[in-house]
Structure formats: C-alpha cells, structure tokens
mmCIF file of all heavy atoms in Angstrom:
data_model
loop_
_atom_site.group_PDB
_atom_site.id
_atom_site.type_symbol
_atom_site.label_atom_id
_atom_site.label_comp_id
_atom_site.label_asym_id
_atom_site.label_seq_id
_atom_site.Cartn_x
_atom_site.Cartn_y
_atom_site.Cartn_z
ATOM 1 N N ILE A 1 0.858 -1.187 0.000
ATOM 2 C CA ILE A 1 0.000 0.000 0.000
ATOM 3 C C ILE A 1 0.891 1.233 0.000
ATOM 4 O O ILE A 1 1.693 1.439 0.925
ATOM 5 C CB ILE A 1 -0.927 0.013 1.232
ATOM 6 C CG1 ILE A 1 -1.762 -1.274 1.271
ATOM 7 C CG2 ILE A 1 -1.835 1.241 1.212
ATOM 8 C CD1 ILE A 1 -2.414 -1.537 2.608
ATOM 9 N N LYS A 2 0.759 2.031 -1.048
ATOM 10 C CA LYS A 2 1.520 3.274 -1.156
ATOM 11 C C LYS A 2 0.561 4.450 -1.239
ATOM 12 O O LYS A 2 -0.661 4.274 -1.217
ATOM 13 C CB LYS A 2 2.438 3.219 -2.379
ATOM 14 C CG LYS A 2 3.474 2.103 -2.306
ATOM 15 C CD LYS A 2 4.373 2.087 -3.534
ATOM 16 C CE LYS A 2 5.413 0.973 -3.434
ATOM 17 N NZ LYS A 2 6.284 0.919 -4.641
ATOM 18 N N ASN A 3 1.119 5.643 -1.385
ATOM 19 C CA ASN A 3 0.309 6.856 -1.374
ATOM 20 C C ASN A 3 -0.700 6.887 -2.513
ATOM 21 O O ASN A 3 -1.843 7.318 -2.335
ATOM 22 C CB ASN A 3 1.230 8.078 -1.436
ATOM 23 C CG ASN A 3 0.454 9.375 -1.328
ATOM 24 O OD1 ASN A 3 0.274 10.068 -2.311
ATOM 25 N ND2 ASN A 3 -0.012 9.695 -0.131
ATOM 26 N N LYS A 4 -0.299 6.416 -3.698
ATOM 27 C CA LYS A 4 -1.173 6.484 -4.866
ATOM 28 C C LYS A 4 -1.553 5.122 -5.423
ATOM 29 O O LYS A 4 -2.244 5.038 -6.438
ATOM 30 C CB LYS A 4 -0.490 7.293 -5.988
ATOM 31 C CG LYS A 4 -0.220 8.752 -5.651
ATOM 32 C CD LYS A 4 -1.515 9.516 -5.498
ATOM 33 C CE LYS A 4 -1.231 11.013 -5.270
ATOM 34 N NZ LYS A 4 -2.487 11.770 -5.075
ATOM 35 N N LYS A 5 -1.079 4.054 -4.798
ATOM 36 C CA LYS A 5 -1.286 2.740 -5.397
ATOM 37 C C LYS A 5 -1.353 1.649 -4.336
ATOM 38 O O LYS A 5 -0.600 1.654 -3.370
ATOM 39 C CB LYS A 5 -0.141 2.439 -6.367
ATOM 40 C CG LYS A 5 -0.261 1.101 -7.079
ATOM 41 C CD LYS A 5 0.841 0.917 -8.119
ATOM 42 C CE LYS A 5 2.155 0.563 -7.480
ATOM 43 N NZ LYS A 5 3.181 0.188 -8.478
ATOM 44 N N VAL A 6 -2.258 0.699 -4.552
ATOM 45 C CA VAL A 6 -2.316 -0.540 -3.779
ATOM 46 C C VAL A 6 -2.029 -1.671 -4.756
ATOM 47 O O VAL A 6 -2.659 -1.762 -5.820
ATOM 48 C CB VAL A 6 -3.696 -0.734 -3.126
ATOM 49 C CG1 VAL A 6 -3.777 -2.110 -2.480
ATOM 50 C CG2 VAL A 6 -3.968 0.353 -2.107
ATOM 51 N N HIS A 7 -1.077 -2.534 -4.402
ATOM 52 C CA HIS A 7 -0.687 -3.640 -5.275
ATOM 53 C C HIS A 7 -0.812 -4.937 -4.487
ATOM 54 O O HIS A 7 -0.120 -5.150 -3.494
ATOM 55 C CB HIS A 7 0.749 -3.448 -5.756
ATOM 56 C CG HIS A 7 1.123 -4.359 -6.891
ATOM 57 N ND1 HIS A 7 2.378 -4.371 -7.448
ATOM 58 C CD2 HIS A 7 0.402 -5.276 -7.569
ATOM 59 C CE1 HIS A 7 2.414 -5.264 -8.428
ATOM 60 N NE2 HIS A 7 1.229 -5.826 -8.519
ATOM 61 N N LEU A 8 -1.741 -5.801 -4.921
ATOM 62 C CA LEU A 8 -1.981 -7.088 -4.274
ATOM 63 C C LEU A 8 -1.612 -8.194 -5.251
ATOM 64 O O LEU A 8 -2.167 -8.269 -6.354
ATOM 65 C CB LEU A 8 -3.449 -7.213 -3.868
ATOM 66 C CG LEU A 8 -3.937 -8.561 -3.339
ATOM 67 C CD1 LEU A 8 -3.116 -9.038 -2.146
ATOM 68 C CD2 LEU A 8 -5.416 -8.477 -2.971
ATOM 69 N N MET A 9 -0.670 -9.057 -4.859
ATOM 70 C CA MET A 9 -0.247 -10.112 -5.765
ATOM 71 C C MET A 9 -0.084 -11.436 -5.029
ATOM 72 O O MET A 9 0.207 -11.486 -3.836
ATOM 73 C CB MET A 9 1.054 -9.733 -6.464
ATOM 74 C CG MET A 9 2.190 -9.361 -5.567
ATOM 75 S SD MET A 9 3.594 -8.779 -6.545
ATOM 76 C CE MET A 9 4.368 -7.648 -5.400
ATOM 77 N N SER A 10 -0.292 -12.507 -5.812
ATOM 78 C CA SER A 10 -0.145 -13.864 -5.306
ATOM 79 C C SER A 10 0.078 -14.781 -6.499
ATOM 80 O O SER A 10 -0.136 -14.392 -7.649
ATOM 81 C CB SER A 10 -1.389 -14.289 -4.538
ATOM 82 O OG SER A 10 -1.331 -15.652 -4.160
ATOM 83 N N LYS A 11 0.475 -16.011 -6.224
ATOM 84 C CA LYS A 11 0.592 -16.999 -7.289
ATOM 85 C C LYS A 11 -0.748 -17.632 -7.630
ATOM 86 O O LYS A 11 -0.857 -18.330 -8.635
ATOM 87 C CB LYS A 11 1.593 -18.092 -6.899
ATOM 88 C CG LYS A 11 3.043 -17.640 -6.952
ATOM 89 C CD LYS A 11 3.995 -18.808 -6.952
ATOM 90 C CE LYS A 11 3.941 -19.552 -8.262
ATOM 91 N NZ LYS A 11 5.012 -20.571 -8.388
ATOM 92 N N SER A 12 -1.763 -17.419 -6.811
ATOM 93 C CA SER A 12 -3.050 -18.053 -7.052
ATOM 94 C C SER A 12 -4.191 -17.063 -6.844
ATOM 95 O O SER A 12 -4.069 -16.127 -6.049
ATOM 96 C CB SER A 12 -3.244 -19.244 -6.100
ATOM 97 O OG SER A 12 -3.488 -18.782 -4.785
ATOM 98 N N PRO A 13 -5.318 -17.258 -7.529
ATOM 99 C CA PRO A 13 -6.492 -16.427 -7.247
ATOM 100 C C PRO A 13 -6.933 -16.521 -5.789
ATOM 101 O O PRO A 13 -7.395 -15.533 -5.219
ATOM 102 C CB PRO A 13 -7.555 -16.991 -8.205
ATOM 103 C CG PRO A 13 -6.776 -17.584 -9.330
ATOM 104 C CD PRO A 13 -5.534 -18.153 -8.679
ATOM 105 N N ALA A 14 -6.778 -17.708 -5.175
ATOM 106 C CA ALA A 14 -7.146 -17.841 -3.760
ATOM 107 C C ALA A 14 -6.319 -16.911 -2.894
ATOM 108 O O ALA A 14 -6.835 -16.252 -1.984
ATOM 109 C CB ALA A 14 -6.968 -19.288 -3.301
ATOM 110 N N GLY A 15 -5.017 -16.829 -3.170
ATOM 111 C CA GLY A 15 -4.168 -15.926 -2.407
ATOM 112 C C GLY A 15 -4.601 -14.476 -2.562
ATOM 113 O O GLY A 15 -4.604 -13.704 -1.597
ATOM 114 N N VAL A 16 -4.976 -14.096 -3.791
ATOM 115 C CA VAL A 16 -5.476 -12.738 -4.013
ATOM 116 C C VAL A 16 -6.757 -12.518 -3.214
ATOM 117 O O VAL A 16 -6.953 -11.457 -2.600
ATOM 118 C CB VAL A 16 -5.713 -12.479 -5.511
ATOM 119 C CG1 VAL A 16 -6.403 -11.131 -5.732
ATOM 120 C CG2 VAL A 16 -4.393 -12.516 -6.278
ATOM 121 N N PHE A 17 -7.634 -13.517 -3.189
ATOM 122 C CA PHE A 17 -8.887 -13.381 -2.447
ATOM 123 C C PHE A 17 -8.640 -13.160 -0.966
ATOM 124 O O PHE A 17 -9.282 -12.306 -0.334
ATOM 125 C CB PHE A 17 -9.756 -14.622 -2.652
ATOM 126 C CG PHE A 17 -11.107 -14.523 -1.999
ATOM 127 C CD1 PHE A 17 -12.118 -13.785 -2.576
ATOM 128 C CD2 PHE A 17 -11.365 -15.164 -0.793
ATOM 129 C CE1 PHE A 17 -13.366 -13.681 -1.975
ATOM 130 C CE2 PHE A 17 -12.602 -15.078 -0.179
ATOM 131 C CZ PHE A 17 -13.608 -14.332 -0.771
ATOM 132 N N TRP A 18 -7.696 -13.918 -0.382
ATOM 133 C CA TRP A 18 -7.413 -13.720 1.045
ATOM 134 C C TRP A 18 -6.781 -12.343 1.278
ATOM 135 O O TRP A 18 -7.053 -11.698 2.296
ATOM 136 C CB TRP A 18 -6.513 -14.836 1.579
ATOM 137 C CG TRP A 18 -7.071 -16.207 1.329
ATOM 138 C CD1 TRP A 18 -6.432 -17.261 0.746
ATOM 139 C CD2 TRP A 18 -8.394 -16.678 1.631
ATOM 140 N NE1 TRP A 18 -7.262 -18.352 0.660
ATOM 141 C CE2 TRP A 18 -8.477 -18.026 1.203
ATOM 142 C CE3 TRP A 18 -9.512 -16.096 2.204
ATOM 143 C CZ2 TRP A 18 -9.635 -18.791 1.336
ATOM 144 C CZ3 TRP A 18 -10.671 -16.868 2.340
ATOM 145 C CH2 TRP A 18 -10.722 -18.180 1.918
ATOM 146 N N GLY A 19 -5.985 -11.883 0.328
ATOM 147 C CA GLY A 19 -5.442 -10.534 0.445
ATOM 148 C C GLY A 19 -6.524 -9.471 0.381
ATOM 149 O O GLY A 19 -6.444 -8.436 1.049
ATOM 150 N N ILE A 20 -7.556 -9.724 -0.423
ATOM 151 C CA ILE A 20 -8.687 -8.789 -0.489
ATOM 152 C C ILE A 20 -9.372 -8.692 0.874
ATOM 153 O O ILE A 20 -9.780 -7.599 1.300
ATOM 154 C CB ILE A 20 -9.679 -9.235 -1.577
ATOM 155 C CG1 ILE A 20 -9.116 -8.924 -2.968
ATOM 156 C CG2 ILE A 20 -11.039 -8.552 -1.400
ATOM 157 C CD1 ILE A 20 -9.951 -9.479 -4.113
ATOM 158 N N GLN A 21 -9.499 -9.815 1.575
ATOM 159 C CA GLN A 21 -10.114 -9.763 2.912
ATOM 160 C C GLN A 21 -9.305 -8.863 3.842
ATOM 161 O O GLN A 21 -9.867 -8.108 4.654
ATOM 162 C CB GLN A 21 -10.238 -11.165 3.500
ATOM 163 C CG GLN A 21 -10.994 -12.156 2.638
ATOM 164 C CD GLN A 21 -12.280 -11.592 2.061
ATOM 165 O OE1 GLN A 21 -13.096 -10.988 2.778
ATOM 166 N NE2 GLN A 21 -12.465 -11.754 0.762
ATOM 167 N N THR A 22 -7.978 -8.939 3.743
ATOM 168 C CA THR A 22 -7.130 -8.066 4.552
ATOM 169 C C THR A 22 -7.336 -6.606 4.173
ATOM 170 O O THR A 22 -7.471 -5.734 5.046
ATOM 171 C CB THR A 22 -5.648 -8.462 4.382
ATOM 172 O OG1 THR A 22 -5.479 -9.809 4.827
ATOM 173 C CG2 THR A 22 -4.731 -7.550 5.189
ATOM 174 N N LEU A 23 -7.375 -6.324 2.874
ATOM 175 C CA LEU A 23 -7.584 -4.948 2.419
ATOM 176 C C LEU A 23 -8.918 -4.402 2.911
ATOM 177 O O LEU A 23 -9.007 -3.246 3.362
ATOM 178 C CB LEU A 23 -7.512 -4.901 0.892
ATOM 179 C CG LEU A 23 -7.719 -3.532 0.229
ATOM 180 C CD1 LEU A 23 -6.663 -2.539 0.701
ATOM 181 C CD2 LEU A 23 -7.683 -3.678 -1.301
ATOM 182 N N LEU A 24 -9.955 -5.208 2.877
ATOM 183 C CA LEU A 24 -11.264 -4.762 3.346
ATOM 184 C C LEU A 24 -11.247 -4.469 4.842
ATOM 185 O O LEU A 24 -11.908 -3.526 5.311
ATOM 186 C CB LEU A 24 -12.324 -5.825 3.031
ATOM 187 C CG LEU A 24 -12.627 -6.039 1.543
ATOM 188 C CD1 LEU A 24 -13.553 -7.236 1.359
ATOM 189 C CD2 LEU A 24 -13.252 -4.791 0.934
ATOM 190 N N GLN A 25 -10.481 -5.255 5.598
ATOM 191 C CA GLN A 25 -10.382 -4.987 7.033
ATOM 192 C C GLN A 25 -9.639 -3.692 7.323
ATOM 193 O O GLN A 25 -9.815 -3.099 8.401
ATOM 194 C CB GLN A 25 -9.677 -6.154 7.735
ATOM 195 C CG GLN A 25 -10.505 -7.416 7.829
ATOM 196 C CD GLN A 25 -9.826 -8.487 8.653
ATOM 197 O OE1 GLN A 25 -8.974 -8.208 9.495
ATOM 198 N NE2 GLN A 25 -10.199 -9.731 8.420
ATOM 199 N N LEU A 26 -8.804 -3.257 6.396
ATOM 200 C CA LEU A 26 -8.047 -2.018 6.603
ATOM 201 C C LEU A 26 -8.891 -0.770 6.383
ATOM 202 O O LEU A 26 -8.482 0.334 6.766
ATOM 203 C CB LEU A 26 -6.833 -1.978 5.672
ATOM 204 C CG LEU A 26 -5.713 -2.975 6.000
ATOM 205 C CD1 LEU A 26 -4.661 -2.975 4.905
ATOM 206 C CD2 LEU A 26 -5.073 -2.652 7.349
ATOM 207 N N LEU A 27 -10.050 -0.930 5.770
ATOM 208 C CA LEU A 27 -10.926 0.228 5.588
ATOM 209 C C LEU A 27 -11.395 0.758 6.933
ATOM 210 O O LEU A 27 -11.751 -0.022 7.823
ATOM 211 C CB LEU A 27 -12.158 -0.155 4.772
ATOM 212 C CG LEU A 27 -12.055 -0.195 3.252
ATOM 213 C CD1 LEU A 27 -13.376 -0.671 2.682
ATOM 214 C CD2 LEU A 27 -11.695 1.166 2.686
ATOM 215 N N PRO A 28 -11.430 2.068 7.100
ATOM 216 C CA PRO A 28 -12.030 2.611 8.321
ATOM 217 C C PRO A 28 -13.539 2.422 8.284
ATOM 218 O O PRO A 28 -14.111 2.069 7.244
ATOM 219 C CB PRO A 28 -11.653 4.096 8.261
ATOM 220 C CG PRO A 28 -11.525 4.385 6.800
ATOM 221 C CD PRO A 28 -10.977 3.119 6.168
ATOM 222 N N THR A 29 -14.177 2.654 9.396
ATOM 223 C CA THR A 29 -15.630 2.517 9.444
ATOM 224 C C THR A 29 -16.349 3.790 9.017
ATOM 225 O O THR A 29 -17.567 3.800 8.902
ATOM 226 C CB THR A 29 -16.085 2.126 10.862
ATOM 227 O OG1 THR A 29 -15.568 3.077 11.799
ATOM 228 C CG2 THR A 29 -15.582 0.734 11.208
ATOM 229 N N SER A 30 -15.588 4.867 8.770
ATOM 230 C CA SER A 30 -16.186 6.106 8.276
ATOM 231 C C SER A 30 -15.156 6.867 7.456
ATOM 232 O O SER A 30 -13.947 6.631 7.563
ATOM 233 C CB SER A 30 -16.695 6.977 9.430
ATOM 234 O OG SER A 30 -15.631 7.333 10.278
ATOM 235 N N ALA A 31 -15.636 7.805 6.639
ATOM 236 C CA ALA A 31 -14.772 8.570 5.747
ATOM 237 C C ALA A 31 -14.356 9.890 6.393
ATOM 238 O O ALA A 31 -14.908 10.324 7.408
ATOM 239 C CB ALA A 31 -15.494 8.846 4.434
ATOM 240 N N THR A 32 -13.373 10.550 5.766
ATOM 241 C CA THR A 32 -13.003 11.904 6.170
ATOM 242 C C THR A 32 -14.077 12.881 5.687
ATOM 243 O O THR A 32 -15.000 12.508 4.962
ATOM 244 C CB THR A 32 -11.649 12.293 5.557
ATOM 245 O OG1 THR A 32 -11.766 12.267 4.118
ATOM 246 C CG2 THR A 32 -10.563 11.323 5.987
#
C-alpha cells in the first residue's frame, strides 16, 4: 500500500482473495 497505489499479488487467485479480505479490514468505518 503506497500513497497512490495498492498492489496485491499472489501466485493463485485464492491468495489474491485472502489478500482482499485483509484490504477490506483495513478500511475505516467512516470517511473523512
């Protein structure tokens, strides 16, 4: 996760899916 880009990579679609779960957990519960 960088200032202008998020890059999620894995060797398998399953790995990408689990990474998506992590990314979703990083979202705050409200916006600025």
Side-chain angles (χ1 to χ4, degrees):
I1 303 164
K2 298 180 179 179
N3 184 255
K4 297 293 185 182
K5 181 175 77 172
V6 173
H7 193 182
L8 172 56
M9 55 186 151
S10 174
K11 286 196 71 171
S12 73
V16 173
F17 184 78
W18 305 128
I20 285 173
Q21 304 315 312
T22 299
L23 180 60
L24 293 173
Q25 288 186 23
L26 290 172
L27 278 177
T29 55
S30 61
T32 61

